[in-house]
Amino acid sequence: MRRLSLPRLTGHAVLVAAAVVVLFPVAWVVAAGFRTQISLLMGEFAFSPVLMNFTEVLFSKTSDFLLNYRNSLLVGIVSTALCLLIGTTAAWSLYRMRWHPWVLHSFLGWTIVFHMIPPIALAGAWYTMARSVGLDNTFTGLILAHTTLNLPMALWLMGVFVRDVPQELIEAARIDGASTPVVLSRIVVPIIRPGLAATGVLTFVFSWNEFAVALNLTMKQTATVPVAIAKFAQEYEIQYTQMAASAALSIVPALVLLVIGQRFIVSGLTKGAIK
Amino acid sequence: MKATTMPIGEPRAVARSGKRGSLLDDRAWRWATFAPALLFMLGLSVLPLVNLVATSFHEVSWVGASAVWQPVGTDHYEALPNDPLFRAGLVNTIIFAVSAVAGQMVLGFALALLCSRLGSGRVVYRTIFILPILIPGIVIGAIWKLMLNFDFGPVNQLIGMFGLMPHDWLGSSATALLSVIVVDIWHWTPFCFLLFLAGLESLPQDVYEAAQIDGASRWQELRYVTIPLMVPTIVVTFAFRLVLAFKVFDEVYLLTGGGPGTATEVISFTLYQRFFTEDRVGYGSAMGVAVIFLVSLLLVVALNARRKREGMA
């Protein structure tokens, strides 16, 4: 047991307090989704939960939330698949195929610069381009945009994992006459599976959460979940409880991924930023 | 070590020089695997930015789906410094980014230090702390819009318990920016915590043992061992967060919409208003180019500071 300057109890108390500060606002809003508008406005502490808000948000004739949900899933899944495919092959190529350092550095350097650009400035540029080729208000436009936004991260993360693949294995396969696609699919991909999971989870979550570009590249029929929530929160007469219910529903995919892939998320976030 | 890797290394040389087919194969696949990423970055990042720069020298109007461009020279750029929203946006963004990131770094470091020293319960804390990072920014805005509501928000209910009057946190210009900063600290302190915790866990243990043998106090250990060793992680986290803070948009869009007045006008939001709300595509593009230029400048300064620091150390 390590020596401690602070009593363990105080330390844990501080961390538990921090955890409560993190959890409380989320829990409170999820709970607000189960309240009636009156109960919420009266500021009652105790309330009997109702499902009305969720049924309104999901199934009311005036609500497009299920459509938005489907749109977000579609854009998220397709752009994640593209990011994994393109990011992994590019990481392989850049780190294992002996490019001139100049190529490597200028390409990676550009991805870093690109990552710093405010998405809203990109949304402007993409909007004018998409509009002139007729890709505004289409899923293709948004999928391409999200793939581009997340590609740098996918590339850096997969770069870390690809470089960890033992050179001996690749060379052994080469000697046996394996071509590049065989080496990639039979040897590299099985080894970097945890990396693919981490990158996939993060890419999907970032696409799911992305707002600025989706706001400006979509219309009613193609809008994603964040765009729908912004609309909920901006009506003249805010339906607070419905807004809370839709907010709660929008966190579900991230929560599911958190439960399934906790370790992937941590390794992804820390590897992406530190290495 | 060398003896064992030699037999594996040698046949590769044979394969490289001996089999021409595999060399050609390599060259083709090298391009084939890199081309998609290259095409994406050229077509969807370089080209749009070139397009953005070109647009910034024009007035653009739409006739149906086709754009009509009218050159205006550098008019847009000359108008920028006199735009009150642009100036307010810059000032607020700097105040916001610096104070929010400073708060996150200090809190995140303290919590990570505490967590790594306690040892137990790490996985639980880590799991809880990931939550805000995974929630959409727009939902963070929605959550805090409810939390800070004047009439029924828990924050006002809480201060009411202490006999204080409810306060319109987002609606008063005195506290609106502060509220946005606090929300951002809530949002991103966990991220700093995760990175710092990972950094602390990867520090070499023998240095600590040496420090303990030398009779270093806890404080000396922190000051002379932990912090110096953590400098790379701290610098990376700081740069990463600062760039993200400069891009802040979603939370402000929902929490305050830049208001009241220009109290929370941040640069991304100004850009959005000029480009999309007012449909001033040319002027908005010029602002976008200016913002990109300023962010790159920031990064160059930060990298230089880091290099200088490393040179001194």
Side-chain angles (χ1 to χ4, degrees), chain A residues 219-235:
Chain A
M219 306 263 275
K220 202 171 187 298
Q221 291 303 307
T222 48
T224 57
V225 168
V227 179
I229 287 174
K231 292 267 150 49
F232 261 113
Q234 283 181 317
E235 309 287 316

Side-chain angles (χ1 to χ4, degrees), chain A residues 3 8 12 21-22 28 40 43 93 97-98 110 114-115 117 124 126 129 171 174 181 209 233 240 250 273, chain B residues 12 26 29-30 33-34 44-45 49 51 118 120 125 134 136 139 146 152 154 157 186 218 236 247 254:
Chain A
R3 192 164 57 96
R8 297 182 68 84
H12 277 297
V21 172
V22 167
W28 189 84
L40 183 76
S93 186
M97 299 291 266
R98 294 164 209 279
W110 173 252
F114 175 72
H115 201 67
I117 296 170
W126 281 331
M129 276 177 76
E171 277 162 9
R174 288 249 174 228
N209 293 354
Y240 289 107
S250 75
Chain B
R12 180 188 57 172
D26 264 14
W29 280 110
R30 193 170 79 147
T33 44
F34 182 42
L44 284 149
S45 81
L49 291 182
N51 200 14
L118 284 172
S120 55
Y125 293 127
L134 301 182
V139 172
L146 287 166
F152 59 81
Q157 285 191 351
W186 179 86
R218 267 287 174 201
V236 168
K247 301 200 288 192
L254 200 51

Side-chain angles (χ1 to χ4, degrees), chain B residues 221-245:
Chain B
E221 209 177 272
L222 176 67
R223 174 70 189 81
Y224 297 107
V225 181
T226 309
I227 292 181
L229 284 175
M230 283 290 284
V231 163
T233 311
I234 292 171
V235 171
V236 168
T237 310
F238 182 74
F240 197 85
R241 275 300 312 141
L242 202 64
V243 168
L244 275 186

Side-chain angles (χ1 to χ4, degrees), chain B residues 174-290:
Chain B
T175 53
L177 187 60
L178 180 72
S179 304
V180 177
I181 291 171
V182 171
V183 171
D184 199 70
I185 291 178
W186 179 86
H187 191 177
W188 289 107
T189 296
F191 178 73
C192 298
F193 166 86
L194 280 185
L195 293 197
F196 287 143
L197 186 62
L200 286 170
E201 283 175 350
S202 65
L203 293 185
Q205 283 308 307
D206 48 345
V207 193
Y208 284 95
E209 280 158 27
Q212 276 172 18
I213 291 165
D214 289 345
S217 70
R218 267 287 174 201
W219 169 250
Q220 284 171 326
E221 209 177 272
L222 176 67
R223 174 70 189 81
Y224 297 107
V225 181
T226 309
I227 292 181
L229 284 175
M230 283 290 284
V231 163
T233 311
I234 292 171
V235 171
V236 168
T237 310
F238 182 74
F240 197 85
R241 275 300 312 141
L242 202 64
V243 168
L244 275 186
F246 263 89
K247 301 200 288 192
V248 69
F249 176 75
D250 310 10
E251 293 86 344
V252 172
Y253 181 90
L254 200 51
L255 279 174
T256 61
T262 57
T264 58
E265 187 74 39
V266 288
I267 198 71
S268 281
F269 197 75
T270 317
L271 182 51
Y272 169 74
Q273 281 167 301
R274 296 296 193 225
F275 195 107
F276 291 102
T277 318
E278 297 169 8
D279 217 4
R280 291 167 66 184
V281 173
Y283 182 66
S285 302
M287 199 180 276
V289 173

Side-chain angles (χ1 to χ4, degrees), chain B:
Chain B
M1 224 339 234
K2 261 185 188 152
T4 53
T5 52
M6 270 293 272
I8 302 165
E10 218 161 15
R12 180 188 57 172
V14 176
R16 290 213 142 257
S17 56
K19 283 204 249 159
R20 279 206 88 78
S22 97
L23 201 67
L24 273 177
D25 171 75
D26 264 14
R27 206 167 287 161
W29 280 110
R30 193 170 79 147
W31 273 104
T33 44
F34 182 42
L38 189 65
L39 282 177
F40 256 87
M41 293 315 281
L42 285 179
L44 284 149
S45 81
V46 177
L47 186 64
L49 291 182
V50 172
N51 200 14
L52 196 72
V53 173
T55 315
S56 71
F57 294 104
H58 292 81
E59 201 71 74
V60 182
S61 48
W62 293 94
V63 180
S66 57
V68 179
W69 291 39
Q70 216 143 39
V72 293
T74 55
D75 283 7
H76 292 319
Y77 289 97
E78 282 158 35
L80 270 179
N82 301 317
D83 185 340
L85 271 192
F86 183 69
R87 280 202 295 219
L90 269 187
V91 172
N92 285 333
T93 307
I94 291 168
I95 297 172
F96 165 83
V98 170
S99 29
V101 172
Q104 292 151 16
M105 301 278 294
V106 172
L107 279 173
F109 195 87
L111 289 172
L113 201 62
L114 202 58
C115 194
S116 81
R117 283 194 180 173
L118 284 172
S120 55
R122 202 173 310 175
V123 178
V124 179
Y125 293 127
R126 219 173 50 180
T127 310
I128 293 172
F129 277 54
I130 294 173
L131 189 63
I133 304 169
L134 301 182
I135 297 179
I138 202 78
V139 172
I140 302 276
I143 288 174
W144 283 94
K145 205 179 166 81
L146 287 166
M147 290 291 291
L148 295 170
N149 184 283
F150 180 80
D151 296 310
F152 59 81
V155 173
N156 273 350
Q157 285 191 351
L158 187 74
I159 67 168
M161 281 197 260
F162 294 96
L164 294 168
M165 294 300 286
H167 180 77
D168 193 1
W169 297 100
L170 297 167
S172 103
S173 50
T175 53
L177 187 60
L178 180 72
S179 304
V180 177
I181 291 171
V182 171
V183 171
D184 199 70
I185 291 178
W186 179 86
H187 191 177
W188 289 107
T189 296
F191 178 73
C192 298
F193 166 86
L194 280 185
L195 293 197
F196 287 143
L197 186 62
L200 286 170
E201 283 175 350
S202 65
L203 293 185
Q205 283 308 307
D206 48 345
V207 193
Y208 284 95
E209 280 158 27
Q212 276 172 18
I213 291 165
D214 289 345
S217 70
R218 267 287 174 201
W219 169 250
Q220 284 171 326
E221 209 177 272
L222 176 67
R223 174 70 189 81
Y224 297 107
V225 181
T226 309
I227 292 181
L229 284 175
M230 283 290 284
V231 163
T233 311
I234 292 171
V235 171
V236 168
T237 310
F238 182 74
F240 197 85
R241 275 300 312 141
L242 202 64
V243 168
L244 275 186
F246 263 89
K247 301 200 288 192
V248 69
F249 176 75
D250 310 10
E251 293 86 344
V252 172
Y253 181 90
L254 200 51
L255 279 174
T256 61
T262 57
T264 58
E265 187 74 39
V266 288
I267 198 71
S268 281
F269 197 75
T270 317
L271 182 51
Y272 169 74
Q273 281 167 301
R274 296 296 193 225
F275 195 107
F276 291 102
T277 318
E278 297 169 8
D279 217 4
R280 291 167 66 184
V281 173
Y283 182 66
S285 302
M287 199 180 276
V289 173
V291 171
I292 293 168
F293 177 75
L294 289 172
V295 177
S296 328
L297 205 66
L298 184 86
L299 193 82
V300 170
V301 171
L303 285 178
N304 270 334
R306 189 187 175 190
R307 204 164 292 147
K308 233 177 232 166
R309 210 196 160 106
E310 275 171 358
M312 265 157 47

